[in-house]
Amino acid sequence: MRGDLNDSGISRDYQWRHSIVPASCALLIFGLHAIPGEDLPSSTMLDMLNADKLIHLVMFGVLSASVFVALGKSGSIRKYKWIAGGALLMYGIGLEFAQDIWFAGRFASIGDMLADGLGILAGRLAFRGVYGCWN
């Protein structure tokens, strides 16, 4: 298929330098989830809900896109796209439960988990749109 990232037929070794951006994004997201609830700005509940969901969607969209770009550069996007998407979703769900269990003043939210999932989907679609890789 023309424009496919894997159409060259060249087997490439994984370049660990491609993992720097996704790992940095994942650590930043973890750090933001670990902020105690008392340190977050308080505003009206309606404002907080909309902004919070949008922030989750953008964070996981950027993380997802960076993971798929790293996989595309390594030539293994076809093989690992579903595993990567599932791992990202599990990461988002795990962070929500970690907020509820370990971080003071923070609670798990189904809405945040849905926003994380939509962000992962948005990152995948952005990757597909930019690179023209529709596999």
Side-chain angles (χ1 to χ4, degrees), residues 3 5 65 69 122-134:
L5 291 175
V69 167
R124 174 68 177 148
L125 291 175
F127 168 78
R128 291 173 73 178
V130 169
Y131 286 94
C133 180
W134 295 97

Side-chain angles (χ1 to χ4, degrees), residues 46-127:
L46 186 60
D47 293 339
M48 213 39 201
L49 285 176
N50 292 335
D52 181 48
K53 303 305 179 258
L54 182 62
I55 290 168
H56 276 266
L57 190 134
V58 169
M59 285 190 312
F60 275 86
V62 170
L63 175 62
S64 172
S66 68
V67 166
F68 290 121
V69 167
L71 286 174
K73 288 182 180 274
S74 71
S76 56
I77 188 72
R78 278 190 181 173
K79 188 186 289 187
Y80 297 116
K81 66 182 172 191
W82 290 106
I83 293 170
L88 288 169
L89 187 59
M90 295 307 297
Y91 181 63
I93 292 170
L95 282 177
E96 285 301 314
F97 284 120
Q99 272 185 335
D100 196 40
I101 295 169
W102 291 308
F103 304 127
R106 302 295 295 268
F107 304 99
S109 165
I110 298 292
D112 288 347
M113 291 178 203
L114 285 171
D116 295 345
L118 289 174
I120 293 165
L121 179 64
R124 174 68 177 148
L125 291 175
F127 168 78

